[in-house]
Short mmCIF file of all heavy atoms in Angstrom, two decimals:
data_model
loop_
_atom_site.label_atom_id
_atom_site.label_comp_id
_atom_site.label_asym_id
_atom_site.label_seq_id
_atom_site.Cartn_x
_atom_site.Cartn_y
_atom_site.Cartn_z
N SER A 63 -10.28 64.16 -6.58
CA SER A 63 -10.17 64.01 -8.02
C SER A 63 -8.88 63.21 -8.35
O SER A 63 -8.91 62.27 -9.19
CB SER A 63 -10.14 65.33 -8.71
OG SER A 63 -10.02 65.18 -10.08
N VAL A 64 -7.80 63.54 -7.72
CA VAL A 64 -6.55 62.82 -7.93
C VAL A 64 -6.70 61.37 -7.50
O VAL A 64 -6.29 60.44 -8.18
CB VAL A 64 -5.38 63.51 -7.19
CG1 VAL A 64 -4.14 62.64 -7.18
CG2 VAL A 64 -5.07 64.83 -7.80
N ALA A 65 -7.30 61.17 -6.31
CA ALA A 65 -7.46 59.77 -5.80
C ALA A 65 -8.37 58.92 -6.72
O ALA A 65 -8.07 57.77 -7.03
CB ALA A 65 -8.05 59.83 -4.42
N VAL A 66 -9.49 59.53 -7.13
CA VAL A 66 -10.42 58.77 -8.01
C VAL A 66 -9.76 58.51 -9.37
O VAL A 66 -9.91 57.39 -9.92
CB VAL A 66 -11.73 59.58 -8.16
CG1 VAL A 66 -12.59 59.02 -9.31
CG2 VAL A 66 -12.52 59.60 -6.88
N SER A 67 -9.05 59.48 -9.90
CA SER A 67 -8.40 59.27 -11.17
C SER A 67 -7.33 58.18 -11.08
O SER A 67 -7.24 57.32 -11.97
CB SER A 67 -7.72 60.60 -11.60
OG SER A 67 -7.02 60.40 -12.79
N THR A 68 -6.57 58.18 -10.01
CA THR A 68 -5.58 57.12 -9.81
C THR A 68 -6.23 55.76 -9.69
O THR A 68 -5.78 54.78 -10.31
CB THR A 68 -4.72 57.45 -8.58
OG1 THR A 68 -4.11 58.70 -8.73
CG2 THR A 68 -3.65 56.37 -8.34
N ALA A 69 -7.29 55.66 -8.90
CA ALA A 69 -8.00 54.41 -8.76
C ALA A 69 -8.61 53.95 -10.10
O ALA A 69 -8.57 52.73 -10.37
CB ALA A 69 -9.10 54.55 -7.69
N ALA A 70 -9.11 54.85 -10.84
CA ALA A 70 -9.68 54.46 -12.16
C ALA A 70 -8.63 53.96 -13.09
O ALA A 70 -8.85 52.97 -13.80
CB ALA A 70 -10.41 55.69 -12.77
N HIS A 71 -7.44 54.57 -13.11
CA HIS A 71 -6.34 54.13 -13.96
C HIS A 71 -5.89 52.73 -13.56
O HIS A 71 -5.58 51.90 -14.39
CB HIS A 71 -5.22 55.14 -13.97
CG HIS A 71 -5.50 56.36 -14.75
ND1 HIS A 71 -4.83 56.64 -15.94
CD2 HIS A 71 -6.32 57.36 -14.60
CE1 HIS A 71 -5.27 57.79 -16.43
NE2 HIS A 71 -6.21 58.25 -15.60
N ILE A 72 -5.82 52.52 -12.24
CA ILE A 72 -5.42 51.19 -11.76
C ILE A 72 -6.46 50.12 -12.12
O ILE A 72 -6.13 49.03 -12.58
CB ILE A 72 -5.21 51.25 -10.22
CG1 ILE A 72 -3.95 52.05 -9.89
CG2 ILE A 72 -5.09 49.84 -9.65
CD1 ILE A 72 -3.77 52.40 -8.43
N ALA A 73 -7.73 50.48 -11.97
CA ALA A 73 -8.83 49.55 -12.31
C ALA A 73 -8.83 49.24 -13.80
O ALA A 73 -9.00 48.08 -14.20
CB ALA A 73 -10.15 50.12 -11.89
N ILE A 74 -8.59 50.27 -14.61
CA ILE A 74 -8.55 50.04 -16.07
C ILE A 74 -7.42 49.11 -16.42
O ILE A 74 -7.59 48.17 -17.26
CB ILE A 74 -8.44 51.38 -16.81
CG1 ILE A 74 -9.75 52.16 -16.71
CG2 ILE A 74 -8.07 51.17 -18.28
CD1 ILE A 74 -9.67 53.61 -17.12
N ALA A 75 -6.25 49.31 -15.83
CA ALA A 75 -5.11 48.43 -16.09
C ALA A 75 -5.37 47.01 -15.57
O ALA A 75 -5.01 46.03 -16.22
CB ALA A 75 -3.84 49.00 -15.49
N ALA A 76 -6.01 46.89 -14.41
CA ALA A 76 -6.22 45.60 -13.81
C ALA A 76 -7.25 44.77 -14.62
O ALA A 76 -7.09 43.55 -14.66
CB ALA A 76 -6.72 45.76 -12.38
N PHE A 77 -8.22 45.40 -15.20
CA PHE A 77 -9.25 44.69 -15.89
C PHE A 77 -9.03 44.59 -17.42
O PHE A 77 -9.89 44.11 -18.14
CB PHE A 77 -10.65 45.27 -15.60
CG PHE A 77 -11.07 45.07 -14.19
CD1 PHE A 77 -11.17 46.11 -13.29
CD2 PHE A 77 -11.35 43.77 -13.73
CE1 PHE A 77 -11.55 45.92 -11.96
CE2 PHE A 77 -11.77 43.55 -12.42
CZ PHE A 77 -11.83 44.63 -11.54
N SER A 78 -7.90 45.12 -17.85
CA SER A 78 -7.56 44.98 -19.26
C SER A 78 -6.74 43.72 -19.45
O SER A 78 -6.02 43.31 -18.49
CB SER A 78 -6.75 46.19 -19.70
OG SER A 78 -7.53 47.37 -19.60
#
Side-chain angles (χ1 to χ4, degrees):
S63 179
V64 169
V66 168
S67 176
T68 302
H71 284 250
I72 290 170
I74 289 167
F77 291 111
S78 296

